[in-house]
Amino acid sequence: MVKGRGPISRHDWPKGLRMNLFTDIRALVLDTLDAMARDGAIPQGMQTGAVTVEPPRDAAHGDMATNAAMVLAKPAGKKPRDIAEDLAERLGADDRIESAEVAGPGFINLRLAPSLWQGIVRAALTQEGFGRSTMGQGEKVNVEYVSANPTGPMHVGHARGAVFGDALARLLDYAGHDVTKEYYVNDGGAQVDVLARSSFERYREPAAMTPEIGEGLYPGDYLVPVGEKLREIWGEGKLNSPEEDWLEEAREIATEAMMEMIRADLAALGVTMDVFFSEKALYGTGRIEDAIKTLDDKGLIYRGTLEPPKGKTPEDWEPREQTLFRSTAHGDDVDRPIMKSDGAWTYFAPDIAYHHDKVSRGFTQLIDVFGADHGGYVKRMKAAVSALSEGKVPLDVKLIQLVKLWKNGEPFKMSKRAGNFVTLRDLVDQVGADAVRFHMLTRKNDAPLDFDFDKVLEQSRENPVFYVQYANARINSVLRKADAMGIAVDDATLAEADLSKLDHEAELSLMRALAEWPRLVEIAAKGHEPHRVAFYLYDLASALHALWNRGNDEPGLRFVQEGDAATTQGKISLARAVGVVIGEGLGILGVTPVEEMR
């Protein structure tokens, strides 16, 4: 027997397809290799983990291609083409394979029988959550995202991180992981004191005691309600009080007010969190000390002196002994300070404690979504998690690049309410949550993104969210038309329709696009790349529109065939299957499908 195959159900095709057709055809290839090994055509016991079945680089070459002969040639001691020709002949004898042709040095291009593509349509109509995967096997994954300082409303940069993190969490859940969505509330640092002081100035404003917001304070009008809240609680009793009398209470009140605003902003974008974890809860509770002791027990904490940072000269560098984490033992470039010279923790120490808490909660995979300005923090955090988990828990840090806003061909003006930035709520109010979410995923997370208000709202192929929604609306219009003609269009009936006439190349092309969905889900989930879902939906919508437009010139390709209910049901089955996948994909993106364009 050849080795390397996972447990796969590969019988009764196309009935019962679950369905990742590429996985199923790979299973057929492995079964055929088993037969070749039994016949002595290739040695027994060869590893086949590297055998793939994928779309060919050129669609004209076939539906799928396998590298099996190329992978097995060396260990088998045979020429790739010799293995390929035998394998292709055997594959071609299977009634699921229309043709198997050897290409180049030994790749095999496969064309599938139309019944398999038609089986994809039935699978989409009969299987709840078509495309869902068990790949994750219930693995506990923590996705931390947004984690904005609670010092003001969410801005457009936060919007991109929020959308990416939320879509990634939805994607991982769809692929079979047990996902926790988490927000780390940075309420333990000096910036929260600045928030309290800024709020106190708003408290003093009605008494004409604050002529202007001082240097270094937050100037946004969003703090006016916080000042009013303080007046409700204090009256005028603390107008002249020293800071130590009001700072802590003002900090708590202002932080909670900001978190209420942030939760509301996230909700407007369709984002909800499972956990809000307070940084402040790490201080004075022994949790930081416990995390550092865990590292110390591993011999990773020491007193030492670091080399000057790059670019520093001996004149402007003062070496000093510090308490350091030996992060270089886990892949970092330099060891990192965890305690300041005055005995206070560095910013890194509570972050270590926070990730120690995540590992302690049983997560076996961690994902942090950071802004691009945190790029220098990646290696030290990976080193910390590696050390805390003894290398058992991977940390993937996804960096979110900047968003540039445009309107009327010019950079979008700043928000007075926020003080110095465009708010997330500004964005949602302008174009709607669905448009924001989809557009934020039209670029990979580490690529800059231009958000042009005019283009996001225009109704054209150049606007991906419109183009996908328009495809879904067209599908629903066909269903309504057929229903009005007395043709049953419920999924159960459509799944039993005669699909044998769905054999035109334009229809097969659309079915091939449908077949990519389960495979795409697993690829996107493995790579932590939800943007792939947005790209796929655009391509699927393009295939639907192409078939629709072709039907304008070729009546036989129209979804509704006047006077022929049976053929109409078959063709509408295909349209409805596309609608199912669009709905599943938009669900991952957090976008609501529209049934009618107005």
Side-chain angles (χ1 to χ4, degrees):
M1 298 287 286
V2 292
K3 300 179 181 179
R5 168 181 27 209
I8 295 172
S9 174
R10 52 189 186 275
H11 302 290
D12 298 326
W13 297 348
K15 179 183 179 182
L17 293 170
R18 180 54 207 151
M19 159 185 237
N20 184 331
L21 189 54
F22 291 86
T23 300
D24 293 336
I25 297 300
R26 180 177 182 270
L28 171 61
V29 171
L30 296 183
D31 278 349
T32 307
L33 291 171
D34 276 347
M36 291 174 66
R38 290 193 300 270
D39 294 346
I42 57 176
Q44 297 272 357
M46 288 193 300
Q47 297 294 324
T48 59
V51 172
T52 62
V53 172
E54 299 176 333
R57 292 182 179 178
D58 185 346
H61 293 164
D63 300 323
M64 298 181 184
T66 180
N67 65 349
M70 304 293 292
V71 168
L72 300 180
K74 187 174 181 179
K78 303 185 73 170
K79 293 179 181 179
R81 279 196 72 94
D82 291 343
I83 296 176
E85 288 172 358
D86 188 357
L87 178 58
E89 183 178 355
R90 294 171 186 249
L91 290 172
D94 191 287
D95 60 7
R96 293 159 281 185
I97 305 298
E98 198 168 68
S99 68
E101 299 176 353
V102 180
F107 288 98
I108 301 174
N109 291 326
L110 305 172
R111 294 187 187 278
L112 306 188
S115 60
L116 262 69
W117 301 121
Q118 294 157 4
I120 290 287
V121 174
R122 296 196 197 282
L125 294 173
T126 57
Q127 294 170 6
E128 185 178 352
F130 171 69
R132 279 189 176 271
S133 172
T134 58
M135 179 187 76
Q137 297 183 327
E139 181 184 14
K140 289 188 66 176
V141 182
N142 182 288
V143 184
E144 181 211 332
Y145 56 106
V146 187
S147 297
N149 290 338
T151 55
M154 309 282 289
H155 60 61
V156 65
H158 296 139
R160 188 178 187 191
V163 168
F164 173 85
D166 198 59
L168 176 56
R170 290 166 180 259
L171 171 62
L172 291 172
D173 174 80
Y174 198 84
H177 298 81
D178 179 3
V179 183
T180 295
K181 302 181 291 182
E182 189 149 324
Y183 186 119
Y184 182 51
V185 183
N186 293 276
D187 55 0
Q191 77 279 355
V192 185
D193 288 340
V194 176
L195 172 69
R197 295 185 185 107
S198 304
S199 300
F200 189 76
E201 294 305 309
R202 295 297 190 179
Y203 160 70
R204 287 156 51 94
E205 258 185 336
M209 298 179 71
T210 307
E212 60 182 39
I213 301 300
E215 183 74 22
L217 299 182
Y218 301 125
D221 292 344
Y222 61 86
L223 288 177
V224 171
V226 183
E228 294 172 351
K229 178 71 172 177
L230 293 176
R231 289 185 71 82
E232 289 178 16
I233 296 171
W234 295 338
E236 297 187 354
K238 295 195 177 184
L239 289 174
N240 296 297
S241 297
E243 184 174 286
E244 58 266 25
D245 286 353
W246 54 260
L247 183 64
E248 184 174 350
E249 186 176 2
R251 183 170 54 212
E252 291 179 3
I253 293 169
T255 300
E256 180 54 35
M258 293 302 98
M259 288 308 301
E260 286 182 12
M261 181 185 300
I262 286 170
R263 289 187 182 95
D265 286 348
L266 290 174
L269 194 56
V271 174
T272 57
M273 295 290 177
D274 300 315
V275 175
F276 285 89
F277 190 102
S278 168
E279 177 191 355
K280 192 168 66 173
L282 298 172
Y283 290 90
T285 58
R287 296 165 90 171
I288 298 178
E289 290 78 4
D290 287 347
I292 301 306
K293 184 178 185 301
T294 299
L295 297 177
D296 194 17
D297 290 345
K298 299 175 187 293
L300 296 172
I301 302 297
Y302 70 101
R303 294 285 293 176
T305 303
L306 294 175
E307 294 292 322
K310 292 180 181 180
K312 294 282 187 181
T313 62
E315 291 77 21
D316 56 14
W317 168 252
E318 181 181 345
R320 62 187 184 279
E321 191 177 56
Q322 298 172 281
T323 302
L324 303 170
F325 163 48
R326 201 183 303 279
S327 55
T328 51
H330 287 267
D332 200 358
D333 297 328
V334 296
D335 292 341
R336 304 291 180 176
I338 59 166
M339 184 175 286
K340 301 176 185 177
S341 56
D342 63 0
W345 296 114
T346 63
Y347 286 119
F348 187 32
D351 286 336
I352 292 174
Y354 174 44
H355 286 77
H356 182 236
D357 183 88
K358 290 182 183 180
V359 172
S360 299
R361 280 186 270 155
F363 294 108
T364 54
Q365 185 179 163
L366 305 181
I367 302 171
D368 288 353
V369 180
F370 291 166
D373 56 340
H374 285 68
Y377 222 58
V378 175
K379 285 189 176 180
R380 72 186 72 178
M381 283 315 314
K382 286 191 171 186
V385 172
S386 175
L388 291 166
S389 69
E390 298 183 341
K392 296 176 182 177
V393 177
L395 168 66
D396 185 14
V397 180
K398 312 300 287 189
L399 297 178
I400 304 297
Q401 278 293 342
L402 299 176
V403 178
K404 295 181 180 179
L405 298 176
W406 298 84
K407 195 171 187 180
N408 300 323
E410 298 179 353
F412 190 64
K413 300 300 181 183
M414 298 303 182
S415 167
K416 291 181 180 179
R417 177 177 177 272
N420 59 355
F421 53 81
V422 178
T423 68
L424 180 154
R425 191 59 69 95
D426 290 334
L427 211 58
V428 172
D429 289 347
Q430 287 272 338
V431 302
D434 287 340
V436 171
R437 290 188 67 116
F438 197 108
H439 197 77
M440 288 291 180
L441 293 164
T442 56
R443 293 288 183 277
K444 192 176 179 182
N445 60 283
D446 58 3
L449 184 143
D450 284 344
F451 193 100
D452 189 318
F453 285 91
D454 301 319
K455 290 184 178 179
V456 170
L457 292 172
E458 75 179 19
Q459 297 189 351
S460 77
R461 180 172 183 161
E462 304 306 313
N463 179 2
V465 63
F466 167 78
Y467 203 55
V468 173
Q469 294 282 34
Y470 185 35
N472 197 62
R474 276 183 153 176
I475 292 165
N476 279 279
S477 72
V478 164
L479 293 172
R480 288 192 297 270
K481 183 175 181 180
D483 184 59
M485 295 168 62
I487 299 173
V489 292
D490 59 283
D491 286 353
T493 300
L494 293 178
E496 297 298 323
D498 179 9
L499 305 180
S500 62
K501 295 182 181 179
L502 296 176
D503 56 2
H504 191 280
E505 180 55 36
E507 295 166 327
L508 290 171
S509 178
L510 186 53
M511 286 185 273
R512 291 187 193 104
L514 283 175
E516 282 275 356
W517 174 238
R519 175 175 177 269
L520 182 280
V521 167
E522 295 193 349
I523 290 173
K526 285 178 183 176
H528 298 167
E529 296 178 324
H531 70 277
R532 287 181 177 270
V533 176
F535 290 6
Y536 167 82
L537 291 178
Y538 183 83
D539 290 342
L540 180 63
S542 296
L544 183 282
H545 290 307
L547 177 57
W548 182 289
N549 294 334
R550 194 159 178 173
N552 292 332
D553 300 322
E554 301 178 44
L557 290 178
R558 293 173 185 169
F559 290 107
V560 176
Q561 297 289 308
E562 299 289 346
D564 190 343
T567 300
T568 295
Q569 278 187 322
K571 291 181 179 295
I572 287 182
S573 295
L574 174 56
R576 171 59 185 149
V578 174
V580 167
V581 172
I582 287 177
E584 295 290 313
L586 290 179
I588 290 173
L589 303 186
V591 175
T592 304
V594 300
E595 296 188 0
E596 193 173 0
M597 303 299 285
R598 297 178 181 178

